[in-house]
């Protein structure tokens, strides 16, 4: 079962450093047609990205929580302003 966010944040809000780490890791996993796990210290950032619709989460094999980068996240990532 895929868990959908209950509310979406404004898509142009800047990402925190932790959100960038999670988004990058799950984006790379998506490029390889995979889902990913999120380390405990990054769970709050993952949850915020889930609320924004950037990632989805589901249970695999009953008790393993896996995360996936969504199409909405890809669209938002491509529209993120560059901070060079």
């Amino acid at each position: 079962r895929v868990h959908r966010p209950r509310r979406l944040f404004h898509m142009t809000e800047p990402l925190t450093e932790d959100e960038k780490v999670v988004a990058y890791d799950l984006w790379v996993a998506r490029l390889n047609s995979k889902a990913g796990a999120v380390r405990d210290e990054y769970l709050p950032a993952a949850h915020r990205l889930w609320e924004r619709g950037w990632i989805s989460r589901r249970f695999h094999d009953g008790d393993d929580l896996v995360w996936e980068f969504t199409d909405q996240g890809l669209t938002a990532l491509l529209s993120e302003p560059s901070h060079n």
Side-chain angles (χ1 to χ4, degrees):
R1 176 176 154 215
V2 174
H3 296 268
R4 301 285 180 207
R6 286 179 268 170
R7 77 177 211 231
L8 296 178
F9 286 78
H10 193 270
M11 295 304 287
T12 59
E13 289 180 21
L15 297 177
T16 67
E17 290 303 313
D18 286 353
E19 289 168 344
K20 289 177 185 177
V21 169
V22 173
Y24 175 79
D25 288 348
L26 293 177
W27 173 72
V28 170
R30 177 185 168 129
L31 290 176
N32 293 297
S33 301
K34 306 242 184 236
V38 174
R39 293 192 325 221
D40 288 346
E41 63 265 27
Y42 289 110
L43 286 174
H47 185 76
R48 288 190 302 270
L49 289 171
W50 171 76
E51 286 180 323
R52 292 171 80 159
W54 282 48
I55 61 178
S56 64
R57 61 187 184 189
R58 63 183 167 83
F59 286 96
H60 179 70
D61 290 337
D63 60 352
D64 291 327
L65 185 61
V66 295
W67 303 80
E68 296 173 302
F69 205 75
T70 65
D71 290 343
Q72 182 174 332
L74 184 58
T75 299
L77 183 65
L78 293 174
S79 67
E80 271 288 300
S82 176
H83 300 287
N84 295 334

